Amino acid sequence: MGFFDKKHESDTPIGNLRAHIGTYMYFVKVGKSKFKHKGRIGEIFADMDNTQFLFNQATMGTMYDFKKKLDYALWDAAVHKYTEDMEALKAELLKVVDQEEAAPKEEAPKEEAPKEVEAVEVAPKEEETGDWKSSIKGQMAAAEEKAKKEAERKKREAEAEEGFEVDASEEMTEADCRELWRILQGLEREFQEMKSIADDWFTVHGKGNGCFGALAMMALIPVGAIYGICQML
């Protein structure tokens, strides 16, 4: 059971189907947000999000049987579209994994020689004939400047730690690959549930027709793909 609209969508097979579609699209939106800077992977997720209308139209029904009718042609178009998208995501993930395996392993860094202990600055002794007041003022100013620089350094480190999750690079890290695989597993799980419900529904009610509507929806798919790419620019 999908976790969207459980209370309102669980009374009918089409209601259950729409609940799983909601969960499926949740994973799509997470992927779109997470991987929007990751080149082809981000483009695929954006396209999946922008062609949700296929699912919506297939399960819309009519004004007399809202949420109680499933259009076979539109549903079939949606299944084919999203099957291709998920296969494309798997291919991109495998490509990244294969590249990582083929990459030469970095040698373990050699142990560095122990650094010499920096000499502690010791204020020069003022000669009896020197200006001791100017010397003390100079040391106080130097200590204040050192403390100021240390505070700035800590501030920069804190700001960097706060924004560590923001990754605008196209390079896929190990964490990115693990997250993509987790999302793909969620997509696959919901997709299989959706197909099972739809197959059972068509077994009972038949497939009917609706080819014209399917052709119209398929014609709009490239428009959704272009819109998704533009959204990433």
Side-chain angles (χ1 to χ4, degrees), residues 104-124:
K105 305 298 182 182
E106 295 183 0
E107 296 182 1
K110 296 181 180 179
E111 294 185 2
E112 297 181 359
K115 295 182 179 180
E116 296 182 1
V117 179
E118 296 181 359
V120 179
E121 295 183 2
V122 179

Side-chain angles (χ1 to χ4, degrees), residues 54-203:
L54 283 174
F55 284 137
N56 294 339
Q57 292 294 325
T59 59
M60 185 173 292
T62 69
M63 62 182 297
Y64 300 107
D65 58 2
F66 183 63
K67 292 187 179 181
K68 296 181 181 180
K69 182 179 178 182
L70 186 61
D71 185 291
Y72 174 74
L74 290 171
W75 178 256
D76 191 52
V79 168
H80 279 85
K81 173 68 174 64
Y82 283 93
T83 297
E84 291 178 354
D85 288 334
M86 289 190 295
E87 290 301 319
L89 286 173
K90 292 176 185 177
E92 291 297 321
L93 177 57
L94 285 174
K95 186 188 300 183
V96 175
V97 174
D98 289 341
Q99 289 174 350
E100 288 295 320
E101 288 182 346
K105 305 298 182 182
E106 295 183 0
E107 296 182 1
K110 296 181 180 179
E111 294 185 2
E112 297 181 359
K115 295 182 179 180
E116 296 182 1
V117 179
E118 296 181 359
V120 179
E121 295 183 2
V122 179
K125 295 181 179 180
E126 297 84 13
E127 297 181 3
E128 293 180 359
T129 57
D131 187 349
W132 63 271
K133 291 177 291 185
S134 297
S135 178
I136 289 179
K137 288 181 179 180
Q139 292 178 46
M140 291 175 66
E144 184 178 346
E145 182 66 21
K146 184 177 180 181
K148 182 179 179 181
K149 289 181 178 178
E150 181 66 15
E152 290 177 352
R153 182 186 66 80
K154 290 182 178 180
K155 182 180 178 182
R156 288 195 299 269
E157 289 181 354
E159 290 175 348
E161 289 179 0
E162 289 178 359
F164 77 99
E165 293 183 354
V166 178
D167 183 7
S169 70
E170 289 195 8
E171 182 181 356
M172 288 285 289
T173 64
E174 177 184 347
D176 290 331
C177 291
R178 291 182 181 277
E179 178 68 9
L180 178 55
W181 176 234
R182 185 189 69 81
I183 292 174
L184 275 168
Q185 288 176 303
L187 289 172
E188 187 68 30
R189 181 178 61 250
E190 294 302 317
F191 197 68
Q192 293 305 319
E193 290 287 343
M194 290 153 52
K195 287 179 63 178
S196 177
I197 294 172
D199 289 343
D200 290 343
W201 195 92
F202 289 126
T203 299

Side-chain angles (χ1 to χ4, degrees), residues 34-43 167-173 176 232:
K34 173 69 178 179
F35 299 101
K36 62 182 178 180
H37 297 299
K38 303 299 182 180
R40 176 61 182 151
I41 294 174
E43 292 174 4
D167 183 7
S169 70
E170 289 195 8
E171 182 181 356
M172 288 285 289
T173 64
D176 290 331
M232 298 179 63

